[in-house]
Amino acid sequence: MENKMFCFQCQETAKCQGCTIVGVCGKKPEVALMQDLLVYATKGLAAVAYELNEEGAEVPMALDRLVCANLFATITNANFDLEAITSRVEDTLRASSSLVEQVKDKSKLPAAALWNDKRENFATKAASDEVGVLSTKDEDKRSLRELITYGLKGLAAYLHHASVLGYEDADIYAFMEEGLTKLLDDSLDVNELVALTLKTGDFGVKGMALLDKANTETYGNPEITKVDLGVRKNPGILVSGHDLKDLEQLLEQTQGSGVDVYTHGEMLAAHYYPKFKKYENFAGNYGNAWWKQKEEFEAFAGPVLMTTNCIVPPNDSYKDRLWTTGATGYPGCRKITADEKGRKDFSAIIAQAKKCQPPKELEKGEIVGGFAHEQVFALADKVVEAVKSGAIKKFVVMAGCDGRQKSREYYAEFAKALPKDTVILTAGCAKYKYIKLGLGDIGGIPRVLDAGQCNDSYSLALIALKLKEVFGLDDVNELPIVYNIAWYEQKAVIVLLALLALGVKNIHLGPTLPAFLSPNVAKLLVENFGIGTISTVEDDIKSMIG
Ligand code: SF4
Ligand code: SF3
């Protein structure tokens, strides 16, 4: 049967090969095709920007932001709204065509940069041979091009978060545009694409460092924090995703309203920042990782604000309580947009919350987190002492994403099976598999140290580099640290490329290796970086912990 779409960008892709009829995530084929077209048009826009840069002309930052916002909207589970994606294609073509006139030597521009058309022709273009993953015929080039594209999508999301806080870096934007342009260049061979992959990792580190600076300078350094898992008596608003600025604006606007604000999924990490602690109505964390949202949003009873991925197509029973903003979108769900100053008006959500019942309690208790770099550095003496005395034998980095596949139970079982003298370093929603298991502590140091969101994996890298320095080692791989990372969507791809750029070797990636790695590209990653996947808990405990 002919493909209606082709997408293999996430870990849950159909049969570990590709979604060809409809997305396992719920993405419809027409949305998948329009997202492919958006990526094509965005590469075209990036090529115009790149050429202007090369010619020494100034590229407005609004254009860089558009490139990032577009890529962000195509991340798994971010935006399911055909109209929103189609409008983005139109906006992108408008931006391209106004800038292209300024390019002196148009002969250097690829076809995507010169393409322009009306919306009624978009579907035909999207289905053409020039657009989409399968437009690259060579399997290895396709694999590397997509690996880079997905890394850039993750990077784009992180740059977007930094930019809304006023932190931007022209060099990183310029690389983003150079990278996207090179993905349109058929003359690049496999070796050049491998070099571009590594360079993407270098800029991944820079992008995560920028976001870390943006978050910590704006909201303070994360600190050890107990986060309540229960509920209060007021009606509430649940905030999910990664955008701290959205949360801040909502907290400001809910002051004195009698409405509490709870976090869900990746937003949990907001509790660790000092600046958010002043809000008395900032209640606690409700529920778990993204994939449990159907039952948890149902039970929450009040409005839910999705600031970023990951949206699961909602049930009708709570669809009118699901709100989107930023890169996210879902047909039939209301969206809050920012004004020209970046201000968002959440009054409609607050008004809806006031008419809702308080959330239904799912659990009681608390979790402890906030172990980002500065907090861990403050504990460095204690940690080093515990390593020297043998109380801590190994650190296991278990960062990344959670997901709904049964095979991911592996991560809970692996965490439970770890010897008591091991400490888990985590970031991202992967933690929900083991952060509530009560794994105890080692001399007051919790056995699960949560640095925060997936982008805070940067913190874990800084912690590793600090330990390397303290122990006087030459190579970060000599540390007693093993990496057992779970991935799902494209932010995990940039995290992985960033770790490789920092010289980390022998990362185990699961629960399956990406479908977009061709056998040759997978071999290259194995031979050069020791990348492997997972096996059984028993075998992996033996091989990783010994
Ligand atoms: Fe399939 Fe994942 Fe693409 Fe959704 S994002 S269509 S599940 S590969
Ligand atoms: Fe999770 Fe979507 Fe990736 Fe940010 S929220 S780690 S999956």
Side-chain angles (χ1 to χ4, degrees):
M1 198 171 82
E2 207 184 309
N3 289 350
K4 288 187 169 167
M5 59 184 276
F6 188 86
C7 182
F8 62 175
Q9 66 175 353
C10 83
Q11 187 272 326
E12 292 190 356
T13 194
K15 299 185 191 142
C16 227
Q17 293 173 350
C19 296
T20 57
I21 302 165
V22 67
V24 171
C25 58
K27 186 161 73 177
K28 301 236 165 70
E30 55 275 22
V31 178
L33 290 175
M34 199 55 74
Q35 289 191 355
D36 289 346
L37 189 64
L38 180 57
V39 171
Y40 177 80
T42 304
K43 285 177 180 168
L45 175 63
V48 176
Y50 175 66
E51 208 40 57
L52 283 172
N53 257 330
E54 290 288 287
E55 291 179 358
E58 193 148 324
V59 177
M61 270 198 179
L63 188 145
D64 304 316
R65 291 177 205 132
L66 180 61
V67 167
C68 289
N70 283 352
L71 293 183
F72 195 175
T74 68
I75 282 184
T76 300
N77 292 338
N79 202 314
F80 294 81
D81 187 347
L82 180 62
E83 174 52 38
I85 304 292
T86 308
S87 299
R88 281 194 175 276
V89 177
E90 285 181 322
D91 293 347
T92 307
L93 292 180
R94 220 173 291 123
S96 272
S97 59
S98 72
L99 268 181
V100 86
E101 291 315 314
Q102 297 173 30
V103 177
K104 290 191 197 113
D105 184 1
K106 294 192 188 51
S107 69
K108 288 193 180 151
L109 292 174
L114 299 167
W115 172 65
N116 200 349
D117 213 333
K118 297 200 195 77
R119 89 160 32 206
E120 54 265 36
N121 298 324
F122 286 179
T124 313
K125 178 75 176 179
S128 76
D129 271 358
E130 293 155 77
V131 177
V133 171
L134 301 178
S135 62
T136 307
K137 303 294 173 220
D138 180 277
E139 189 187 35
D140 297 327
K141 282 192 184 180
R142 181 197 304 148
S143 175
L144 288 162
R145 278 180 169 183
E146 295 310 312
L147 174 58
I148 296 163
T149 303
Y150 306 150
L152 292 176
K153 286 187 184 191
L155 178 57
Y158 294 155
L159 294 183
H160 172 83
H161 292 312
S163 96
V164 295
L165 295 176
Y167 289 73
E168 299 188 286
D169 181 329
D171 288 347
I172 309 180
Y173 283 148
F175 168 72
M176 168 84 74
E177 282 138 17
E178 177 194 339
L180 290 167
T181 305
K182 288 188 170 166
L183 295 175
L184 293 166
D185 183 350
D186 287 328
S187 73
L188 255 59
D189 64 17
V190 164
N191 290 334
E192 287 165 310
L193 286 169
V194 169
L196 186 60
T197 309
L198 301 181
K199 199 168 170 188
T200 305
D202 290 335
F203 278 89
V205 177
K206 291 185 177 149
M208 280 195 269
L210 180 71
L211 179 53
D212 182 80
K213 187 172 154 66
N215 285 340
T216 55
E217 288 187 356
T218 311
Y219 302 115
N221 274 302
E223 55 194 18
I224 301 178
T225 306
K226 287 179 180 165
V227 182
D228 190 12
L229 300 175
V231 296
R232 299 180 185 176
K233 294 201 167 62
N234 294 327
I237 298 172
L238 188 58
V239 189
S240 193
H242 306 68
D243 199 304
L244 299 179
K245 175 91 177 170
D246 287 338
L247 175 71
E248 183 185 17
Q249 295 198 47
L250 183 69
L251 282 167
E252 279 297 325
Q253 292 173 40
T254 48
Q255 291 315 294
S257 67
V259 172
D260 290 331
V261 174
Y262 294 79
T263 55
H264 186 265
E266 280 281 68
M267 199 55 88
L268 158 67
H271 292 279
Y272 308 155
Y273 288 91
K275 186 139 180 221
F276 292 120
K277 292 184 175 157
K278 69 175 185 197
Y279 299 104
E280 281 177 10
N281 67 329
F282 193 27
N285 191 65
Y286 189 83
N288 295 280
W290 65 273
W291 61 277
K292 287 213 171 160
Q293 66 188 251
K294 280 201 175 197
E295 54 195 274
E296 292 174 354
F297 290 2
E298 188 81 62
F300 186 75
V304 181
L305 174 65
M306 299 300 303
T307 66
T308 69
N309 56 316
C310 283
I311 300 176
V312 174
N315 291 339
D316 286 343
S317 54
Y318 65 84
K319 198 170 172 184
D320 71 321
R321 290 193 278 114
L322 192 71
W323 298 72
T324 61
T325 191
T328 64
Y330 196 87
C333 290
R334 283 167 286 181
K335 178 156 185 159
I336 306 289
T337 48
D339 66 16
E340 63 287 349
K341 289 197 174 131
R343 192 179 179 281
K344 294 184 180 177
D345 178 0
F346 293 118
S347 55
I349 304 184
I350 298 166
Q352 186 184 47
K354 286 180 180 169
K355 291 189 213 134
C356 293
Q357 292 296 313
K360 184 176 147 198
E361 188 160 82
L362 297 177
E363 59 195 322
K364 280 194 191 320
E366 58 191 22
I367 46 181
V368 180
F371 297 92
H373 48 87
E374 291 310 302
Q375 179 63 82
V376 176
F377 294 172
L379 295 171
D381 289 349
K382 213 170 167 184
V383 173
V384 169
E385 198 40 56
V387 175
K388 284 189 178 154
S389 73
I392 296 178
K393 292 249 165 48
K394 237 171 206 163
F395 296 94
V396 189
V397 174
M398 290 182 74
C401 311
D402 198 8
R404 60 200 137 194
Q405 285 180 340
K406 201 102 201 87
S407 58
R408 285 183 186 257
E409 274 310 305
Y410 162 94
Y411 293 102
E413 296 306 319
F414 183 87
K416 281 191 233 166
L418 281 169
K420 300 263 179 291
D421 53 12
T422 52
V423 168
I424 296 172
L425 300 176
T426 193
C429 63
K431 65 175 141 284
Y432 283 102
K433 280 281 187 281
Y434 44 80
I435 200 163
K436 297 177 184 175
L437 294 177
L439 295 178
D441 62 274
I442 299 175
I445 302 167
R447 287 195 53 231
V448 180
L449 297 181
D450 179 25
Q453 299 180 335
C454 46
N455 40 289
D456 296 310
S457 301
Y458 171 72
S459 247
L460 304 183
L462 287 192
I463 291 166
L465 292 171
K466 181 79 174 176
L467 289 175
K468 182 186 101 167
E469 180 193 314
V470 172
F471 288 108
L473 301 172
D474 297 326
D475 184 342
V476 81
N477 295 297
E478 290 169 21
L479 285 165
I481 305 182
V482 290
Y483 294 79
N484 192 1
I485 289 178
W487 82 286
Y488 171 57
E489 36 76 48
Q490 299 74 52
K491 292 174 177 177
V493 177
I494 195 62
V495 169
L496 175 72
L497 295 179
L499 288 176
L500 298 184
L502 288 166
V504 175
K505 295 225 158 53
N506 304 321
I507 295 173
H508 295 260
L509 192 62
T512 51
L513 284 182
F516 55 81
L517 296 182
S518 67
N520 284 332
V521 172
K523 192 163 162 255
L524 189 138
L525 290 176
V526 172
E527 285 172 358
N528 292 290
F529 300 100
I531 295 248
T533 188
I534 57 169
S535 160
T536 62
V537 168
E538 209 184 9
D539 286 353
D540 288 349
I541 291 281
K542 260 191 231 145
S543 67
M544 290 184 218
I545 312 297

